[in-house]
């Protein structure tokens, strides 16, 4: 009995000495990481998740944060700013620290007659597209495209909120690289936003296939036939010829730049080759007009020959 009690005591001691699993500290902010507060002051709420106890601090005395600590879980702190009577924006960083983990949220309080565009340049490719310019302001402002940049358009109207966006539409570039400006104006202040659009690079390819050395594309088709689908990746106009009358065993359907080709069974001994053709017109490096013809081939096998050997006695 004494031996049994000793073993039980040792087992209990071993269990008591086992370490709790280690937790890797983490803190994740679930609200925007860049917050704007009006010049008049106000409150902003920051939400985050922490898996261990945490503390909160802010590096500018013009802002107050509450609470400054808490336990693990889904948490909220409030950041308060009084009215900003200076001529400059006030910037502060809120830091949430959870042991070795941390996360930051940037706060910007606007000054009187503020018009702030932190990023004033954007590089884009040659394709038609839209993008947005982020603006911080507490005044009405306007945005317009420079006189020599009719390949861009901005949304009409004015804004009078702390954070807003300007919608910019850009035409496709069919020539050399170009550069243009958008002028954002308010309270006697002009900010130039520069847009750099890359030169036009023509693209014409069958998606997920590699062209052969002759610049054409090839599908291998068994004698039983089959259906084949492919799509084009292109930014240029082209002409399409299916040759369904020339090749009656080939059936082509088209949906935009997506194609489906069905090949009938080959009941002949000889292989059958069919194709569809794309014709692309453009200019070479010297500016001369050129025409390129690209074919997608369907190489179908035929029945194999069977050789018979007959011996007569």
């Amino acid at each position: 009995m004494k031996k049994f009690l000793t073993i039980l005591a040792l087992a209990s001691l071993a269990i008591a000495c086992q370490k709790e699993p280690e937790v890797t500290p983490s803190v994740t902010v679930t609200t925007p990481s860049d917050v704007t507060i009006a010049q008049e002051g106000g409150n902003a709420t920051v939400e985050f998740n922490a898996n261990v106890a945490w503390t909160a601090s802010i590096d500018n005395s013009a802002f107050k944060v509450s609470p400054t600590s808490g336990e693990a879980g889904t948490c909220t702190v409030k950041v308060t700013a009084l009215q900003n009577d200076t001529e400059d924006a006030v910037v502060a960083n809120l830091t949430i620290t959870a042991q070795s983990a941390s996360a930051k949220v940037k706060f910007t309080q606007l000054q009187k007659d503020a018009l702030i565009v932190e990023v004033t340049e954007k590089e884009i490719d040659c394709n038609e597209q839209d993008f947005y310019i982020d603006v911080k302001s507490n005044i009405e402002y306007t945005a317009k495209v420079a006189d020599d940049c009719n390949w861009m358009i901005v949304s009409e109207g004015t804004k009078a909120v702390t954070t807003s966006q300007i919608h910019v539409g850009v035409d496709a570039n069919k020539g050399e690289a170009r550069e243009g400006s958008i002028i954002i104006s308010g309270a006697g202040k002009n900010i130039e936003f520069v847009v750099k659009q890359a030169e036009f690079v023509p693209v014409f390819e069958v998606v997920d296939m590699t062209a052969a050395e002759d610049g054409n594309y090839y599908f291998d088709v068994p004698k039983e036939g089959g259906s084949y689908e492919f799509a084009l990746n292109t930014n240029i106009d082209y002409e399409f010829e299916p040759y369904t009358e020339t090749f009656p065993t080939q059936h082509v359907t088209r949906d935009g730049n997506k194609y489906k080709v069905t090949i009938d069974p080959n009941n002949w001994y000889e292989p059958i080759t069919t194709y569809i053709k794309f014709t692309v017109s453009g200019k070479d490096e010297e500016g001369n007009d050129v025409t390129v013809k690209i074919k997608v081939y369907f190489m179908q096998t035929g029945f194999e020959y069977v050789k018979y050997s007959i011996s007569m006695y």
Side-chain angles (χ1 to χ4, degrees), residues 103-149:
K104 291 183 180 293
V105 178
K106 179 182 177 182
F107 284 83
T108 303
Q109 185 180 16
L110 302 179
Q111 73 272 33
K112 183 179 180 181
D113 297 336
L115 182 62
I116 302 172
V117 181
E118 294 183 343
V119 178
T120 58
E121 183 174 304
K122 187 175 183 66
E123 295 184 1
I124 58 177
D125 60 31
C126 65
N127 298 318
E128 179 181 351
Q129 60 198 277
D130 297 82
F131 67 86
Y132 293 87
I133 301 173
D134 292 326
V135 179
K136 297 178 180 179
S137 71
N138 53 16
I139 60 171
E140 290 191 349
Y141 66 85
T142 61
K144 68 175 185 178
V145 176
D147 294 338
D148 58 345
C149 303

Side-chain angles (χ1 to χ4, degrees), residues 33-237:
S33 59
D34 192 344
V35 179
T36 302
I37 297 180
Q39 180 257 343
E40 294 81 5
N43 300 318
T45 299
V46 175
E47 296 180 357
F48 59 94
N49 295 314
N51 64 352
V52 294
W54 54 270
T55 60
S57 62
I58 199 160
D59 60 5
N60 191 316
S61 60
F63 296 82
K64 302 297 181 184
V65 57
S66 177
T68 57
S69 62
E71 298 300 320
T74 299
C75 312
T76 300
V77 297
K78 182 173 70 173
V79 175
T80 303
L82 300 177
Q83 180 170 307
N84 178 15
D85 294 322
T86 71
E87 296 182 356
D88 299 313
V90 180
V91 178
N93 290 295
L94 170 71
T95 302
I96 309 294
T97 303
Q99 295 183 15
S100 59
S102 64
K104 291 183 180 293
V105 178
K106 179 182 177 182
F107 284 83
T108 303
Q109 185 180 16
L110 302 179
Q111 73 272 33
K112 183 179 180 181
D113 297 336
L115 182 62
I116 302 172
V117 181
E118 294 183 343
V119 178
T120 58
E121 183 174 304
K122 187 175 183 66
E123 295 184 1
I124 58 177
D125 60 31
C126 65
N127 298 318
E128 179 181 351
Q129 60 198 277
D130 297 82
F131 67 86
Y132 293 87
I133 301 173
D134 292 326
V135 179
K136 297 178 180 179
S137 71
N138 53 16
I139 60 171
E140 290 191 349
Y141 66 85
T142 61
K144 68 175 185 178
V145 176
D147 294 338
D148 58 345
C149 303
N150 58 4
W151 45 275
M152 290 190 293
I153 187 172
V154 299
S155 299
E156 297 293 335
T158 61
K159 307 291 182 183
V161 295
T162 55
T163 303
S164 59
Q165 290 184 319
I166 298 170
H167 177 210
V168 183
V170 183
D171 292 338
N173 183 11
K174 297 294 185 180
E176 297 179 354
R178 58 189 179 185
E179 182 176 310
S181 298
I182 296 167
I183 309 301
I184 305 166
S185 304
K189 185 177 182 180
N190 294 323
I191 298 175
E192 181 182 20
F193 188 97
V194 178
V195 180
K196 298 180 179 180
Q197 190 173 27
E199 66 178 340
F200 174 69
V201 178
V203 175
F204 188 94
E205 61 183 2
V206 177
V207 177
D208 295 331
M209 290 190 69
T210 302
E213 292 184 359
D214 60 0
N216 298 311
Y217 296 86
Y218 292 84
F219 284 95
D220 292 324
V221 182
K223 61 180 180 293
E224 294 82 9
S227 293
Y228 301 85
E229 297 182 6
F230 64 90
L232 299 180
N233 173 31
T234 182
N235 57 7
I236 53 181
D237 296 330

